[in-house]
Amino acid sequence: DVAVDVHGYIGGTQPVLANGSQVTDPKTGAALTLSQPNYYTFTGQAGQLMSFQAMSASVTAIKDPVDTVLTVFGPNGQAVAFNDDQFEPSDSSIFDLTLPSSGTFTVEVNAFHSTDPSFNDPGAQNYNPAAYYDAQHGAYELFMYTFSAYNGTTSNDSIQYTPTSSA
């Protein structure tokens, strides 16, 4: 069993330009810069079970959360798993990924972005110009872990239920 916990930050310095002009955050007036994803590699074996979590919004100690997106690339460079948002928060998780081959895998942690124009419309419910311009920045924690399960006995496992009367 192996577990890795990495503290990361999605940032960037390349200015966001629209029609040749620097784009600024309407709330703060700060210049927006493009998000730069982070990459992590590990060596895995075919059939190995792996799980990944990029936690940000759900970690209360993180004061500048980011909406994370996870992609796992196989040794051939092709995406083998992707997740943008788990059940409730905007964090991303990939659970129980069975590695399809042996070799070096790459995990990309990126910030959510969308070309949906409503993200750049101040009257829209999901208004978020940083997401529209691919300029979200923030901290996250990446958890990567594997485990092996085994049967401690050589016999079949069983569960028995004995009803009780309620008399």
Side-chain angles (χ1 to χ4, degrees):
D1 297 354
V2 176
V4 175
D5 177 14
V6 178
H7 294 258
Y9 187 86
I10 295 174
T13 58
Q14 182 179 347
V16 173
L17 301 176
N19 301 319
S21 298
Q22 173 76 50
V23 177
T24 59
D25 183 322
K27 293 178 185 174
T28 66
L32 294 178
T33 58
L34 291 175
S35 301
Q36 294 296 311
N38 293 318
Y39 297 91
Y40 306 90
T41 59
F42 68 93
T43 302
Q45 302 301 314
Q48 184 176 8
L49 201 60
M50 293 286 300
S51 292
F52 310 86
Q53 294 178 277
M55 309 300 283
S56 186
S58 59
V59 178
T60 57
I62 293 178
K63 301 304 179 205
D64 56 344
V66 62
D67 184 349
T68 60
V69 177
L70 273 173
T71 307
V72 179
F73 297 94
N76 63 359
Q78 298 296 310
V80 296
F82 170 85
N83 181 262
D84 171 26
D85 297 344
Q86 60 183 356
F87 302 111
E88 185 61 34
S90 58
D91 297 332
S92 298
S93 300
I94 298 170
F95 293 112
D96 299 337
L97 171 64
T98 301
L99 300 182
S101 60
S102 296
T104 301
F105 290 78
T106 302
V107 178
E108 177 189 72
V109 181
N110 203 351
F112 169 77
H113 59 277
S114 174
T115 57
D116 179 339
S118 67
F119 281 88
N120 202 32
D121 177 1
Q125 182 178 359
N126 58 341
Y127 177 59
N128 184 343
Y132 180 78
Y133 288 108
D134 192 13
Q136 289 196 78
H137 297 186
Y140 63 88
E141 248 184 283
L142 173 64
F143 300 96
M144 299 187 293
Y145 49 96
T146 184
F147 59 90
S148 23
Y150 87 103
N151 189 351
T153 65
T154 56
S155 63
N156 293 332
D157 292 335
S158 65
I159 297 175
Q160 295 183 1
Y161 170 71
T162 307
T164 59
S165 64
S166 59

Short mmCIF file of all heavy atoms in Angstrom, two decimals, residues 2 8 11 35 56 65 67 70 82 96 104 119 123 125 130 141 154:
data_model
loop_
_atom_site.label_atom_id
_atom_site.label_comp_id
_atom_site.label_asym_id
_atom_site.label_seq_id
_atom_site.Cartn_x
_atom_site.Cartn_y
_atom_site.Cartn_z
N VAL A 2 0.56 2.17 -0.86
CA VAL A 2 1.34 3.40 -0.98
C VAL A 2 0.39 4.59 -1.03
O VAL A 2 -0.64 4.53 -1.71
CB VAL A 2 2.20 3.38 -2.26
CG1 VAL A 2 2.95 4.69 -2.44
CG2 VAL A 2 3.17 2.22 -2.25
N GLY A 8 -0.07 21.59 -3.66
CA GLY A 8 0.24 22.26 -4.91
C GLY A 8 -0.49 23.58 -5.06
O GLY A 8 -1.38 23.93 -4.27
N GLY A 11 -1.09 28.32 -10.67
CA GLY A 11 -0.88 29.74 -10.89
C GLY A 11 -0.58 29.99 -12.35
O GLY A 11 -0.94 29.19 -13.21
N SER A 35 -4.01 30.10 -16.26
CA SER A 35 -3.70 28.99 -15.34
C SER A 35 -2.68 28.06 -15.99
O SER A 35 -2.74 27.81 -17.19
CB SER A 35 -4.97 28.17 -15.05
OG SER A 35 -5.97 28.96 -14.50
N SER A 56 -9.54 20.91 -2.71
CA SER A 56 -9.28 22.33 -2.52
C SER A 56 -10.45 22.97 -1.76
O SER A 56 -10.30 23.41 -0.64
CB SER A 56 -9.05 23.02 -3.86
OG SER A 56 -8.66 24.35 -3.69
N PRO A 65 -8.99 28.54 -2.55
CA PRO A 65 -9.32 27.31 -3.27
C PRO A 65 -9.46 27.53 -4.77
O PRO A 65 -9.66 28.64 -5.24
CB PRO A 65 -10.65 26.89 -2.65
CG PRO A 65 -11.25 28.14 -2.14
CD PRO A 65 -10.10 29.02 -1.73
N ASP A 67 -11.15 25.43 -8.38
CA ASP A 67 -12.01 24.37 -8.91
C ASP A 67 -11.11 23.43 -9.72
O ASP A 67 -10.70 23.77 -10.81
CB ASP A 67 -13.11 24.99 -9.77
CG ASP A 67 -14.11 23.99 -10.29
OD1 ASP A 67 -13.89 22.76 -10.16
OD2 ASP A 67 -15.13 24.43 -10.86
N LEU A 70 -9.00 16.77 -12.79
CA LEU A 70 -7.96 15.73 -12.80
C LEU A 70 -7.99 14.95 -14.11
O LEU A 70 -9.07 14.57 -14.58
CB LEU A 70 -8.22 14.72 -11.69
CG LEU A 70 -7.67 14.97 -10.30
CD1 LEU A 70 -8.19 13.92 -9.33
CD2 LEU A 70 -6.16 14.98 -10.31
N PHE A 82 -10.59 10.85 -16.32
CA PHE A 82 -10.80 12.29 -16.22
C PHE A 82 -11.91 12.54 -15.21
O PHE A 82 -12.88 11.78 -15.16
CB PHE A 82 -11.21 12.85 -17.60
CG PHE A 82 -11.67 14.28 -17.56
CD1 PHE A 82 -10.77 15.31 -17.63
CD2 PHE A 82 -13.03 14.57 -17.46
CE1 PHE A 82 -11.20 16.64 -17.59
CE2 PHE A 82 -13.47 15.89 -17.42
CZ PHE A 82 -12.56 16.92 -17.49
N ASP A 96 -10.59 4.07 -7.73
CA ASP A 96 -10.50 2.69 -8.20
C ASP A 96 -10.22 2.58 -9.70
O ASP A 96 -10.87 1.81 -10.41
CB ASP A 96 -11.77 1.91 -7.85
CG ASP A 96 -11.99 1.83 -6.35
OD1 ASP A 96 -11.01 1.98 -5.59
OD2 ASP A 96 -13.15 1.63 -5.93
N THR A 104 5.01 4.41 -17.00
CA THR A 104 4.97 5.70 -16.31
C THR A 104 3.68 6.43 -16.67
O THR A 104 3.41 6.67 -17.85
CB THR A 104 6.19 6.55 -16.68
OG1 THR A 104 7.38 5.83 -16.31
CG2 THR A 104 6.17 7.89 -15.97
N PHE A 119 -20.31 32.23 -18.46
CA PHE A 119 -19.28 32.42 -17.43
C PHE A 119 -18.68 33.83 -17.49
O PHE A 119 -18.02 34.26 -16.55
CB PHE A 119 -18.17 31.37 -17.56
CG PHE A 119 -18.54 30.04 -16.98
CD1 PHE A 119 -19.18 29.09 -17.76
CD2 PHE A 119 -18.29 29.73 -15.66
CE1 PHE A 119 -19.54 27.86 -17.23
CE2 PHE A 119 -18.65 28.51 -15.11
CZ PHE A 119 -19.29 27.57 -15.90
N GLY A 123 -24.65 38.99 -15.50
CA GLY A 123 -26.01 38.70 -15.09
C GLY A 123 -26.31 37.22 -14.94
O GLY A 123 -27.38 36.85 -14.48
N GLN A 125 -26.01 33.30 -13.51
CA GLN A 125 -25.85 32.67 -12.18
C GLN A 125 -24.44 32.11 -11.99
O GLN A 125 -23.90 32.15 -10.91
CB GLN A 125 -26.88 31.56 -12.02
CG GLN A 125 -26.82 30.88 -10.67
CD GLN A 125 -27.89 29.80 -10.54
OE1 GLN A 125 -28.67 29.58 -11.45
NE2 GLN A 125 -27.92 29.16 -9.40
N ALA A 130 -12.81 34.34 -14.46
CA ALA A 130 -11.53 33.60 -14.38
C ALA A 130 -11.69 32.22 -15.01
O ALA A 130 -10.79 31.73 -15.69
CB ALA A 130 -11.07 33.48 -12.93
N GLU A 141 -4.62 20.10 -2.52
CA GLU A 141 -3.87 18.95 -2.01
C GLU A 141 -4.20 17.78 -2.91
O GLU A 141 -5.38 17.47 -3.14
CB GLU A 141 -4.29 18.62 -0.58
CG GLU A 141 -3.20 18.89 0.43
CD GLU A 141 -3.60 18.47 1.82
OE1 GLU A 141 -4.39 19.20 2.44
OE2 GLU A 141 -3.10 17.42 2.29
N THR A 154 -8.14 -19.16 3.14
CA THR A 154 -8.20 -19.85 1.86
C THR A 154 -9.62 -20.30 1.53
O THR A 154 -9.89 -20.72 0.42
CB THR A 154 -7.27 -21.08 1.86
OG1 THR A 154 -7.63 -21.92 2.94
CG2 THR A 154 -5.83 -20.64 1.96
#
